[in-house]
mmCIF file of all heavy atoms in Angstrom:
data_model
loop_
_atom_site.group_PDB
_atom_site.id
_atom_site.type_symbol
_atom_site.label_atom_id
_atom_site.label_comp_id
_atom_site.label_asym_id
_atom_site.label_seq_id
_atom_site.Cartn_x
_atom_site.Cartn_y
_atom_site.Cartn_z
ATOM 1 N N SER A 76 22.959 -41.509 -7.779
ATOM 2 C CA SER A 76 23.933 -41.091 -8.561
ATOM 3 C C SER A 76 25.116 -42.292 -8.584
ATOM 4 O O SER A 76 26.027 -42.173 -9.489
ATOM 5 C CB SER A 76 24.391 -39.811 -8.098
ATOM 6 O OG SER A 76 24.968 -39.840 -6.743
ATOM 7 N N ASN A 77 25.238 -42.922 -7.504
ATOM 8 C CA ASN A 77 26.259 -44.016 -7.518
ATOM 9 C C ASN A 77 25.564 -45.299 -6.950
ATOM 10 O O ASN A 77 25.551 -45.305 -5.592
ATOM 11 C CB ASN A 77 27.458 -43.603 -6.793
ATOM 12 C CG ASN A 77 28.628 -44.667 -6.973
ATOM 13 O OD1 ASN A 77 28.429 -45.754 -6.750
ATOM 14 N ND2 ASN A 77 29.660 -44.091 -7.436
ATOM 15 N N ARG A 78 24.958 -46.163 -7.644
ATOM 16 C CA ARG A 78 24.147 -47.125 -7.103
ATOM 17 C C ARG A 78 25.138 -48.281 -6.268
ATOM 18 O O ARG A 78 24.620 -48.846 -5.398
ATOM 19 C CB ARG A 78 23.501 -47.856 -8.196
ATOM 20 C CG ARG A 78 22.244 -47.164 -8.634
ATOM 21 C CD ARG A 78 21.612 -47.734 -9.882
ATOM 22 N NE ARG A 78 22.369 -47.549 -11.060
ATOM 23 C CZ ARG A 78 22.088 -47.919 -12.299
ATOM 24 N NH1 ARG A 78 21.055 -48.597 -12.534
ATOM 25 N NH2 ARG A 78 22.789 -47.548 -13.344
ATOM 26 N N ARG A 79 26.250 -48.273 -6.614
ATOM 27 C CA ARG A 79 27.308 -49.285 -5.912
ATOM 28 C C ARG A 79 27.317 -48.801 -4.439
ATOM 29 O O ARG A 79 27.368 -49.626 -3.624
ATOM 30 C CB ARG A 79 28.500 -49.282 -6.545
ATOM 31 C CG ARG A 79 29.443 -50.435 -6.026
ATOM 32 C CD ARG A 79 30.582 -50.961 -6.934
ATOM 33 N NE ARG A 79 31.255 -49.961 -7.455
ATOM 34 C CZ ARG A 79 32.478 -50.175 -8.183
ATOM 35 N NH1 ARG A 79 33.048 -51.375 -8.192
ATOM 36 N NH2 ARG A 79 33.092 -49.143 -8.679
ATOM 37 N N VAL A 80 27.667 -47.499 -4.207
ATOM 38 C CA VAL A 80 27.667 -47.026 -2.841
ATOM 39 C C VAL A 80 26.378 -47.081 -2.242
ATOM 40 O O VAL A 80 26.422 -47.466 -1.120
ATOM 41 C CB VAL A 80 28.156 -45.462 -2.965
ATOM 42 C CG1 VAL A 80 28.020 -44.933 -1.590
ATOM 43 C CG2 VAL A 80 29.533 -45.312 -3.397
ATOM 44 N N PHE A 81 25.377 -46.840 -2.971
ATOM 45 C CA PHE A 81 24.072 -46.983 -2.314
ATOM 46 C C PHE A 81 23.825 -48.350 -1.772
ATOM 47 O O PHE A 81 23.382 -48.537 -0.562
ATOM 48 C CB PHE A 81 22.941 -46.550 -3.301
ATOM 49 C CG PHE A 81 21.521 -46.770 -2.820
ATOM 50 C CD1 PHE A 81 20.949 -45.844 -1.938
ATOM 51 C CD2 PHE A 81 20.836 -47.833 -3.276
ATOM 52 C CE1 PHE A 81 19.669 -45.967 -1.608
ATOM 53 C CE2 PHE A 81 19.515 -47.965 -2.771
ATOM 54 C CZ PHE A 81 18.817 -47.062 -2.022
ATOM 55 N N TRP A 82 23.855 -49.353 -2.609
ATOM 56 C CA TRP A 82 23.433 -50.655 -2.122
ATOM 57 C C TRP A 82 24.481 -51.267 -1.122
ATOM 58 O O TRP A 82 24.106 -51.840 -0.199
ATOM 59 C CB TRP A 82 23.354 -51.610 -3.411
ATOM 60 C CG TRP A 82 22.107 -51.288 -4.221
ATOM 61 C CD1 TRP A 82 22.094 -50.765 -5.399
ATOM 62 C CD2 TRP A 82 20.760 -51.538 -3.700
ATOM 63 N NE1 TRP A 82 20.833 -50.690 -5.862
ATOM 64 C CE2 TRP A 82 19.975 -51.114 -4.888
ATOM 65 C CE3 TRP A 82 20.206 -52.043 -2.717
ATOM 66 C CZ2 TRP A 82 18.545 -51.181 -4.803
ATOM 67 C CZ3 TRP A 82 18.866 -52.087 -2.507
ATOM 68 C CH2 TRP A 82 18.089 -51.654 -3.676
ATOM 69 N N VAL A 83 25.747 -51.193 -1.449
ATOM 70 C CA VAL A 83 26.776 -51.762 -0.440
ATOM 71 C C VAL A 83 26.662 -50.892 0.889
ATOM 72 O O VAL A 83 26.925 -51.459 1.932
ATOM 73 C CB VAL A 83 28.206 -51.630 -1.080
ATOM 74 C CG1 VAL A 83 29.247 -52.182 -0.100
ATOM 75 C CG2 VAL A 83 28.290 -52.434 -2.292
ATOM 76 N N GLY A 84 26.580 -49.564 0.737
ATOM 77 C CA GLY A 84 26.468 -48.782 1.844
ATOM 78 C C GLY A 84 25.277 -49.151 2.785
ATOM 79 O O GLY A 84 25.306 -48.932 3.954
ATOM 80 N N LEU A 85 24.251 -49.483 2.091
ATOM 81 C CA LEU A 85 22.982 -49.796 2.914
ATOM 82 C C LEU A 85 23.093 -51.210 3.463
ATOM 83 O O LEU A 85 22.686 -51.496 4.592
ATOM 84 C CB LEU A 85 21.640 -49.670 1.926
ATOM 85 C CG LEU A 85 20.371 -50.229 2.399
ATOM 86 C CD1 LEU A 85 19.913 -49.430 3.588
ATOM 87 C CD2 LEU A 85 19.337 -50.204 1.276
ATOM 88 N N LEU A 86 23.367 -52.282 2.603
ATOM 89 C CA LEU A 86 23.294 -53.640 2.903
ATOM 90 C C LEU A 86 24.221 -54.106 4.016
ATOM 91 O O LEU A 86 23.864 -54.906 4.823
ATOM 92 C CB LEU A 86 23.177 -54.547 1.683
ATOM 93 C CG LEU A 86 22.097 -54.345 0.834
ATOM 94 C CD1 LEU A 86 22.254 -55.207 -0.550
ATOM 95 C CD2 LEU A 86 20.793 -54.498 1.402
ATOM 96 N N VAL A 87 25.479 -53.728 3.937
ATOM 97 C CA VAL A 87 26.432 -54.224 4.826
ATOM 98 C C VAL A 87 26.131 -53.785 6.280
ATOM 99 O O VAL A 87 26.139 -54.700 7.182
ATOM 100 C CB VAL A 87 27.835 -53.801 4.540
ATOM 101 C CG1 VAL A 87 28.852 -54.129 5.598
ATOM 102 C CG2 VAL A 87 28.221 -54.379 3.080
ATOM 103 N N PRO A 88 25.921 -52.629 6.770
ATOM 104 C CA PRO A 88 25.545 -52.201 8.052
ATOM 105 C C PRO A 88 24.224 -52.821 8.482
ATOM 106 O O PRO A 88 24.057 -53.214 9.642
ATOM 107 C CB PRO A 88 25.519 -50.687 8.130
ATOM 108 C CG PRO A 88 25.442 -50.320 6.749
ATOM 109 C CD PRO A 88 26.071 -51.274 5.827
ATOM 110 N N THR A 89 23.260 -52.991 7.585
ATOM 111 C CA THR A 89 21.917 -53.596 7.833
ATOM 112 C C THR A 89 22.183 -54.996 8.259
ATOM 113 O O THR A 89 21.522 -55.519 9.173
ATOM 114 C CB THR A 89 21.022 -53.333 6.692
ATOM 115 O OG1 THR A 89 20.943 -51.946 6.367
ATOM 116 C CG2 THR A 89 19.652 -53.993 6.868
ATOM 117 N N LEU A 90 22.939 -55.764 7.391
ATOM 118 C CA LEU A 90 23.146 -57.231 7.707
ATOM 119 C C LEU A 90 23.771 -57.346 9.056
ATOM 120 O O LEU A 90 23.469 -58.310 9.893
ATOM 121 C CB LEU A 90 23.969 -57.748 6.628
ATOM 122 C CG LEU A 90 24.286 -59.344 6.800
ATOM 123 C CD1 LEU A 90 22.955 -60.202 6.722
ATOM 124 C CD2 LEU A 90 25.157 -59.832 5.691
ATOM 125 N N TYR A 91 24.794 -56.616 9.350
ATOM 126 C CA TYR A 91 25.471 -56.582 10.653
ATOM 127 C C TYR A 91 24.566 -56.399 11.741
ATOM 128 O O TYR A 91 24.578 -57.164 12.776
ATOM 129 C CB TYR A 91 26.609 -55.558 10.716
ATOM 130 C CG TYR A 91 27.456 -55.563 11.999
ATOM 131 C CD1 TYR A 91 28.359 -56.485 12.282
ATOM 132 C CD2 TYR A 91 27.206 -54.614 13.024
ATOM 133 C CE1 TYR A 91 29.041 -56.471 13.464
ATOM 134 C CE2 TYR A 91 27.813 -54.566 14.163
ATOM 135 C CZ TYR A 91 28.760 -55.494 14.368
ATOM 136 O OH TYR A 91 29.490 -55.514 15.584
ATOM 137 N N LEU A 92 23.708 -55.378 11.667
ATOM 138 C CA LEU A 92 22.732 -55.096 12.736
ATOM 139 C C LEU A 92 21.645 -56.055 12.800
ATOM 140 O O LEU A 92 21.102 -56.332 13.976
ATOM 141 C CB LEU A 92 22.133 -53.706 12.624
ATOM 142 C CG LEU A 92 23.048 -52.478 12.732
ATOM 143 C CD1 LEU A 92 22.455 -51.182 12.504
ATOM 144 C CD2 LEU A 92 23.588 -52.456 14.200
ATOM 145 N N TRP A 93 21.205 -56.730 11.726
ATOM 146 C CA TRP A 93 20.281 -57.808 11.861
ATOM 147 C C TRP A 93 20.905 -58.851 12.710
ATOM 148 O O TRP A 93 20.186 -59.533 13.541
ATOM 149 C CB TRP A 93 20.062 -58.416 10.394
ATOM 150 C CG TRP A 93 19.034 -57.576 9.720
ATOM 151 C CD1 TRP A 93 18.277 -56.557 10.046
ATOM 152 C CD2 TRP A 93 18.895 -57.676 8.246
ATOM 153 N NE1 TRP A 93 17.619 -56.065 9.080
ATOM 154 C CE2 TRP A 93 17.851 -56.768 7.868
ATOM 155 C CE3 TRP A 93 19.204 -58.695 7.238
ATOM 156 C CZ2 TRP A 93 17.263 -56.573 6.607
ATOM 157 C CZ3 TRP A 93 18.802 -58.569 6.024
ATOM 158 C CH2 TRP A 93 17.767 -57.461 5.585
ATOM 159 N N ILE A 94 22.096 -59.349 12.451
ATOM 160 C CA ILE A 94 22.816 -60.363 13.291
ATOM 161 C C ILE A 94 22.791 -59.969 14.735
ATOM 162 O O ILE A 94 22.445 -60.768 15.562
ATOM 163 C CB ILE A 94 24.266 -60.749 12.760
ATOM 164 C CG1 ILE A 94 24.112 -61.168 11.249
ATOM 165 C CG2 ILE A 94 24.944 -61.666 13.542
ATOM 166 C CD1 ILE A 94 25.380 -61.308 10.405
ATOM 167 N N THR A 95 23.349 -58.804 15.045
ATOM 168 C CA THR A 95 23.470 -58.381 16.388
ATOM 169 C C THR A 95 22.108 -58.393 17.175
ATOM 170 O O THR A 95 22.012 -58.542 18.321
ATOM 171 C CB THR A 95 24.262 -57.161 16.596
ATOM 172 O OG1 THR A 95 23.519 -56.055 15.982
ATOM 173 C CG2 THR A 95 25.611 -57.331 15.867
ATOM 174 N N ASP A 96 21.082 -57.827 16.364
ATOM 175 C CA ASP A 96 19.887 -57.774 16.984
ATOM 176 C C ASP A 96 19.217 -59.079 17.279
ATOM 177 O O ASP A 96 18.486 -59.275 18.341
ATOM 178 C CB ASP A 96 18.806 -56.833 15.923
ATOM 179 C CG ASP A 96 17.544 -56.565 16.617
ATOM 180 O OD1 ASP A 96 17.476 -56.285 17.850
ATOM 181 O OD2 ASP A 96 16.470 -56.614 15.896
ATOM 182 N N ALA A 97 19.344 -59.943 16.394
ATOM 183 C CA ALA A 97 18.895 -61.420 16.546
ATOM 184 C C ALA A 97 19.629 -61.964 17.868
ATOM 185 O O ALA A 97 18.933 -62.651 18.649
ATOM 186 C CB ALA A 97 19.121 -62.306 15.321
ATOM 187 N N LEU A 98 20.881 -61.714 18.031
ATOM 188 C CA LEU A 98 21.545 -62.269 19.117
ATOM 189 C C LEU A 98 21.113 -61.544 20.458
ATOM 190 O O LEU A 98 20.857 -62.191 21.539
ATOM 191 C CB LEU A 98 23.114 -61.988 19.107
ATOM 192 C CG LEU A 98 23.764 -62.807 17.977
ATOM 193 C CD1 LEU A 98 25.173 -62.346 17.798
ATOM 194 C CD2 LEU A 98 23.730 -64.322 18.317
ATOM 195 N N ALA A 99 20.824 -60.238 20.410
ATOM 196 C CA ALA A 99 20.313 -59.501 21.569
ATOM 197 C C ALA A 99 19.107 -59.917 22.021
ATOM 198 O O ALA A 99 18.802 -60.018 23.166
ATOM 199 C CB ALA A 99 20.298 -58.027 21.155
ATOM 200 N N ILE A 100 18.161 -60.401 21.062
ATOM 201 C CA ILE A 100 16.782 -60.775 21.449
ATOM 202 C C ILE A 100 16.823 -62.317 21.873
ATOM 203 O O ILE A 100 16.318 -62.688 22.905
ATOM 204 C CB ILE A 100 15.812 -60.696 20.256
ATOM 205 C CG1 ILE A 100 15.585 -59.160 19.925
ATOM 206 C CG2 ILE A 100 14.371 -61.344 20.508
ATOM 207 C CD1 ILE A 100 14.706 -58.888 18.682
ATOM 208 N N ASN A 101 17.421 -63.183 20.984
ATOM 209 C CA ASN A 101 17.311 -64.559 21.175
ATOM 210 C C ASN A 101 18.316 -65.180 22.168
ATOM 211 O O ASN A 101 18.088 -66.167 22.845
ATOM 212 C CB ASN A 101 17.321 -65.296 19.785
ATOM 213 C CG ASN A 101 16.218 -64.809 19.099
ATOM 214 O OD1 ASN A 101 15.096 -64.761 19.332
ATOM 215 N ND2 ASN A 101 16.490 -64.619 17.795
ATOM 216 N N THR A 102 19.469 -64.691 22.156
ATOM 217 C CA THR A 102 20.659 -65.209 22.923
ATOM 218 C C THR A 102 20.831 -64.545 24.292
ATOM 219 O O THR A 102 20.976 -65.132 25.341
ATOM 220 C CB THR A 102 21.954 -65.262 22.078
ATOM 221 O OG1 THR A 102 21.677 -65.968 20.894
ATOM 222 C CG2 THR A 102 22.966 -65.890 22.910
ATOM 223 N N PHE A 103 20.839 -63.212 24.267
ATOM 224 C CA PHE A 103 21.361 -62.412 25.424
ATOM 225 C C PHE A 103 20.040 -61.866 26.203
ATOM 226 O O PHE A 103 20.214 -61.477 27.324
ATOM 227 C CB PHE A 103 22.225 -61.184 25.030
ATOM 228 C CG PHE A 103 23.417 -61.732 24.162
ATOM 229 C CD1 PHE A 103 23.709 -61.267 22.935
ATOM 230 C CD2 PHE A 103 24.319 -62.764 24.735
ATOM 231 C CE1 PHE A 103 24.776 -61.702 22.335
ATOM 232 C CE2 PHE A 103 25.368 -63.164 24.155
ATOM 233 C CZ PHE A 103 25.697 -62.685 22.925
ATOM 234 N N GLY A 104 18.839 -61.807 25.551
ATOM 235 C CA GLY A 104 17.628 -61.312 26.249
ATOM 236 C C GLY A 104 17.821 -59.895 26.664
ATOM 237 O O GLY A 104 17.197 -59.471 27.752
ATOM 238 N N ILE A 105 18.471 -59.047 25.889
ATOM 239 C CA ILE A 105 18.593 -57.578 26.194
ATOM 240 C C ILE A 105 17.303 -56.834 26.045
ATOM 241 O O ILE A 105 16.930 -55.907 26.769
ATOM 242 C CB ILE A 105 19.824 -56.902 25.477
ATOM 243 C CG1 ILE A 105 21.016 -57.697 25.740
ATOM 244 C CG2 ILE A 105 19.927 -55.558 25.834
ATOM 245 C CD1 ILE A 105 22.168 -57.291 24.839
ATOM 246 N N TRP A 106 16.602 -57.088 24.886
ATOM 247 C CA TRP A 106 15.282 -56.519 24.787
ATOM 248 C C TRP A 106 14.472 -57.666 24.035
ATOM 249 O O TRP A 106 14.904 -58.627 23.603
ATOM 250 C CB TRP A 106 15.405 -55.289 23.940
ATOM 251 C CG TRP A 106 16.039 -55.297 22.614
ATOM 252 C CD1 TRP A 106 15.569 -55.910 21.424
ATOM 253 C CD2 TRP A 106 17.444 -55.074 22.258
ATOM 254 N NE1 TRP A 106 16.456 -55.839 20.359
ATOM 255 C CE2 TRP A 106 17.577 -55.276 20.849
ATOM 256 C CE3 TRP A 106 18.479 -54.392 22.967
ATOM 257 C CZ2 TRP A 106 18.861 -54.990 20.190
ATOM 258 C CZ3 TRP A 106 19.551 -54.090 22.319
ATOM 259 C CH2 TRP A 106 19.808 -54.456 20.931
ATOM 260 N N ASP A 107 13.100 -57.339 24.038
ATOM 261 C CA ASP A 107 12.246 -58.257 23.374
ATOM 262 C C ASP A 107 11.083 -57.433 22.656
ATOM 263 O O ASP A 107 10.844 -56.383 23.099
ATOM 264 C CB ASP A 107 11.545 -59.201 24.473
ATOM 265 C CG ASP A 107 10.866 -60.286 23.766
ATOM 266 O OD1 ASP A 107 11.211 -60.573 22.646
ATOM 267 O OD2 ASP A 107 9.926 -60.827 24.435
ATOM 268 N N ILE A 108 10.494 -58.039 21.700
ATOM 269 C CA ILE A 108 9.449 -57.457 20.840
ATOM 270 C C ILE A 108 8.102 -58.236 21.251
ATOM 271 O O ILE A 108 8.079 -59.424 21.215
ATOM 272 C CB ILE A 108 9.714 -57.638 19.314
ATOM 273 C CG1 ILE A 108 11.113 -57.234 19.050
ATOM 274 C CG2 ILE A 108 8.692 -56.898 18.597
ATOM 275 C CD1 ILE A 108 11.400 -55.780 19.539
ATOM 276 N N SER A 109 7.142 -57.427 21.461
ATOM 277 C CA SER A 109 5.795 -58.045 21.811
ATOM 278 C C SER A 109 5.206 -58.867 20.829
ATOM 279 O O SER A 109 5.103 -58.323 19.583
ATOM 280 C CB SER A 109 4.734 -56.971 22.335
ATOM 281 O OG SER A 109 3.520 -57.389 22.462
ATOM 282 N N THR A 110 4.789 -60.048 20.814
ATOM 283 C CA THR A 110 4.080 -60.790 19.869
ATOM 284 C C THR A 110 2.717 -60.346 19.808
ATOM 285 O O THR A 110 2.094 -60.561 18.595
ATOM 286 C CB THR A 110 4.082 -62.347 20.332
ATOM 287 O OG1 THR A 110 3.500 -62.344 21.623
ATOM 288 C CG2 THR A 110 5.578 -62.951 20.414
ATOM 289 N N LYS A 111 2.209 -59.614 20.612
ATOM 290 C CA LYS A 111 0.840 -59.145 20.519
ATOM 291 C C LYS A 111 0.775 -57.937 19.346
ATOM 292 O O LYS A 111 -0.241 -57.939 18.591
ATOM 293 C CB LYS A 111 0.440 -58.350 21.861
ATOM 294 C CG LYS A 111 -1.040 -57.698 21.789
ATOM 295 C CD LYS A 111 -1.275 -57.085 23.128
ATOM 296 C CE LYS A 111 -2.643 -56.368 23.030
ATOM 297 N NZ LYS A 111 -2.832 -55.745 24.362
ATOM 298 N N TYR A 112 1.880 -57.264 19.232
ATOM 299 C CA TYR A 112 1.856 -56.088 18.236
ATOM 300 C C TYR A 112 2.738 -56.370 16.999
ATOM 301 O O TYR A 112 3.074 -55.394 16.240
ATOM 302 C CB TYR A 112 2.346 -54.801 18.942
ATOM 303 C CG TYR A 112 1.426 -54.263 19.952
ATOM 304 C CD1 TYR A 112 1.741 -54.368 21.340
ATOM 305 C CD2 TYR A 112 0.074 -53.867 19.785
ATOM 306 C CE1 TYR A 112 0.975 -53.796 22.368
ATOM 307 C CE2 TYR A 112 -0.770 -53.520 20.751
ATOM 308 C CZ TYR A 112 -0.323 -53.456 21.981
ATOM 309 O OH TYR A 112 -1.348 -52.949 22.951
ATOM 310 N N SER A 113 3.296 -57.591 16.903
ATOM 311 C CA SER A 113 4.074 -57.867 15.745
ATOM 312 C C SER A 113 3.536 -59.118 15.050
ATOM 313 O O SER A 113 2.898 -59.924 15.544
ATOM 314 C CB SER A 113 5.527 -58.220 16.233
ATOM 315 O OG SER A 113 5.571 -59.253 17.184
ATOM 316 N N LEU A 114 3.993 -59.100 13.688
ATOM 317 C CA LEU A 114 3.533 -60.201 12.882
ATOM 318 C C LEU A 114 4.342 -61.483 13.189
ATOM 319 O O LEU A 114 5.433 -61.437 13.770
ATOM 320 C CB LEU A 114 3.776 -59.851 11.383
ATOM 321 C CG LEU A 114 2.927 -58.704 10.833
ATOM 322 C CD1 LEU A 114 3.474 -58.210 9.541
ATOM 323 C CD2 LEU A 114 1.442 -58.977 10.826
ATOM 324 N N PRO A 115 3.741 -62.665 12.951
ATOM 325 C CA PRO A 115 4.357 -63.998 13.315
ATOM 326 C C PRO A 115 5.444 -64.426 12.248
ATOM 327 O O PRO A 115 5.550 -65.634 11.951
ATOM 328 C CB PRO A 115 3.236 -64.985 13.326
ATOM 329 C CG PRO A 115 2.168 -64.431 12.256
ATOM 330 C CD PRO A 115 2.389 -62.939 12.387
ATOM 331 N N PHE A 116 6.133 -63.561 11.679
ATOM 332 C CA PHE A 116 7.297 -63.661 10.663
ATOM 333 C C PHE A 116 8.544 -63.413 11.471
ATOM 334 O O PHE A 116 8.947 -62.282 11.608
ATOM 335 C CB PHE A 116 7.058 -62.977 9.467
ATOM 336 C CG PHE A 116 5.760 -63.272 8.828
ATOM 337 C CD1 PHE A 116 4.829 -62.216 8.636
ATOM 338 C CD2 PHE A 116 5.299 -64.532 8.373
ATOM 339 C CE1 PHE A 116 3.701 -62.381 8.118
ATOM 340 C CE2 PHE A 116 4.047 -64.778 7.810
ATOM 341 C CZ PHE A 116 3.248 -63.709 7.634
ATOM 342 N N ARG A 117 9.364 -64.538 11.691
ATOM 343 C CA ARG A 117 10.641 -64.231 12.235
ATOM 344 C C ARG A 117 11.764 -65.021 11.484
ATOM 345 O O ARG A 117 12.188 -66.115 12.104
ATOM 346 C CB ARG A 117 10.603 -64.697 13.728
ATOM 347 C CG ARG A 117 9.585 -63.865 14.580
ATOM 348 C CD ARG A 117 10.041 -63.953 16.085
ATOM 349 N NE ARG A 117 9.251 -62.951 16.770
ATOM 350 C CZ ARG A 117 9.533 -62.539 18.006
ATOM 351 N NH1 ARG A 117 10.669 -62.898 18.551
ATOM 352 N NH2 ARG A 117 8.905 -61.534 18.584
ATOM 353 N N PRO A 118 12.087 -64.548 10.368
ATOM 354 C CA PRO A 118 13.159 -65.349 9.643
ATOM 355 C C PRO A 118 14.542 -65.200 10.283
ATOM 356 O O PRO A 118 15.027 -64.298 10.847
ATOM 357 C CB PRO A 118 13.378 -64.480 8.327
ATOM 358 C CG PRO A 118 12.821 -63.130 8.678
ATOM 359 C CD PRO A 118 11.695 -63.335 9.644
ATOM 360 N N PHE A 119 15.046 -66.489 10.596
ATOM 361 C CA PHE A 119 16.337 -66.595 11.350
ATOM 362 C C PHE A 119 16.080 -66.093 12.715
ATOM 363 O O PHE A 119 17.217 -65.698 13.414
ATOM 364 C CB PHE A 119 17.559 -66.065 10.602
ATOM 365 C CG PHE A 119 17.702 -66.497 9.120
ATOM 366 C CD1 PHE A 119 17.315 -65.780 8.149
ATOM 367 C CD2 PHE A 119 18.326 -67.803 9.074
ATOM 368 C CE1 PHE A 119 17.404 -66.193 6.852
ATOM 369 C CE2 PHE A 119 18.466 -68.212 7.647
ATOM 370 C CZ PHE A 119 18.004 -67.423 6.581
ATOM 371 N N GLY A 120 15.008 -66.209 13.312
ATOM 372 C CA GLY A 120 14.669 -65.645 14.749
ATOM 373 C C GLY A 120 14.646 -64.170 14.857
ATOM 374 O O GLY A 120 14.568 -63.718 15.918
ATOM 375 N N LEU A 121 14.656 -63.528 13.722
ATOM 376 C CA LEU A 121 14.690 -61.999 13.631
ATOM 377 C C LEU A 121 13.272 -61.598 13.466
ATOM 378 O O LEU A 121 12.789 -61.881 12.247
ATOM 379 C CB LEU A 121 15.607 -61.368 12.922
ATOM 380 C CG LEU A 121 15.737 -59.854 12.821
ATOM 381 C CD1 LEU A 121 16.217 -59.261 14.107
ATOM 382 C CD2 LEU A 121 16.642 -59.299 11.701
#
């Protein structure tokens, strides 16, 4: 019913969490994802 709210509401927090998740995995080592159960696609380390 309001596509502007839908897309901006979705993409902004998603982009923020993508950045912090990549930092948590690659820089701070807070958690990790098994390579055994995941695909070998990691754009920008995510």
Side-chain angles (χ1 to χ4, degrees):
S76 62
N77 192 305
R78 281 173 286 178
R79 186 159 52 163
V80 172
F81 174 79
W82 288 110
V83 178
L85 172 64
L86 295 179
V87 170
T89 299
L90 180 61
Y91 179 78
L92 289 174
W93 282 352
I94 295 171
T95 64
D96 188 36
L98 290 173
I100 294 173
N101 301 311
T102 304
F103 305 123
I105 302 172
W106 57 77
D107 193 23
I108 309 302
S109 169
T110 56
K111 177 181 177 181
Y112 295 116
S113 58
L114 297 168
F116 304 118
R117 297 198 168 203
F119 304 102
L121 181 66

